Amino acid sequence: GSENLDDYMPAITVCNQQPLRSDFHIVAANNSLSDMNQLFSFLGQVQATTNVSFETMLGPAGVLGGYFQFLGRDKAVLLGHEEDELIVDCYFYTMSSAGSTLSPCKKFGIIRRVSIPQYYNCYTIEFLSDGDNSVLAFGFSLTLYIDNWLNPVLASLPPGYNQHNSLGARVMMHPNNTAPQPQTQSFAAAPGTKVEVQFSGLNRVRLPEPHGDCSESHSGRAYALDGVK
């Protein structure tokens, strides 16, 4: 069966389209991380001996995704945007017996980091029910700081690389407790603009017991349902 949920509040995942924070090269130096030039030099040696293209070696995510894999997740996340740098304000529109109001996301929800090679540090925001549904969420408001002008270090990369030079953020709404796919299922939010999105939820649930008798059938189908009691 299915049920329309007027109080359905999806999870929201936000990513900066420029994966690296503007001072990533300083952070890399302070944490003794490999410089990107070292990566390019190594790949150049591999390419000279194998004739494999940079794009193939770095994978579909492009050079920055390749750098993420080169460093490993634990080190790469240091170069991405921190939560408080990307998310300036986060509020749920909530309703209770006292009326409707704007409530800080962390009062009734959680914000967790999701590491993705294409965008490094994304953040998923989820509304958590208080158990008895005395407080419901019916919307959210986000203010993002998009610190993603073209970094001089990135501008100096050899031409032809898949750089994330787009300005703005990627925003995705998805069911709670599911893995976000912002690289394919999100929309863009340009800097300096206000974006409004309307959404509705559809929850599909299995019918409870008692169920019908399911038995083998010889009528061309593997199984047949005799009926629902």
Side-chain angles (χ1 to χ4, degrees), residues 64-175:
L64 298 182
Y67 190 45
F68 183 101
Q69 304 290 2
F70 176 76
L71 289 177
R73 185 180 304 273
D74 292 341
K75 293 181 179 179
V77 295
L78 298 175
L79 306 183
H81 301 272
E82 293 295 328
E83 175 191 323
D84 57 357
E85 295 173 348
L86 176 62
I87 303 175
V88 178
D89 288 311
C90 178
Y91 293 94
F92 288 118
Y93 289 92
T94 58
M95 179 176 295
S96 66
S97 59
S100 59
T101 186
L102 274 175
S103 302
C105 287
K106 289 188 176 180
K107 181 178 180 180
F108 293 108
I110 58 172
I111 302 177
R112 67 174 185 272
R113 182 173 64 196
V114 182
S115 300
I116 300 174
Q118 288 87 338
Y119 300 109
Y120 283 41
N121 293 343
C122 296
Y123 295 93
T124 295
I125 305 156
E126 288 190 8
F127 177 80
L128 300 179
S129 172
D130 57 1
D132 59 3
N133 290 328
S134 61
V135 178
L136 302 176
F138 59 92
F140 65 93
S141 172
L142 284 175
T143 302
L144 305 176
Y145 176 63
I146 308 300
D147 175 25
N148 60 0
W149 58 84
L150 183 58
N151 185 284
V153 176
L154 298 179
S156 67
L157 298 182
Y161 290 114
N162 179 21
Q163 302 173 42
H164 286 245
N165 294 341
S166 301
L167 296 177
R170 303 298 305 183
V171 182
M172 176 184 176
M173 293 184 292
H174 54 98

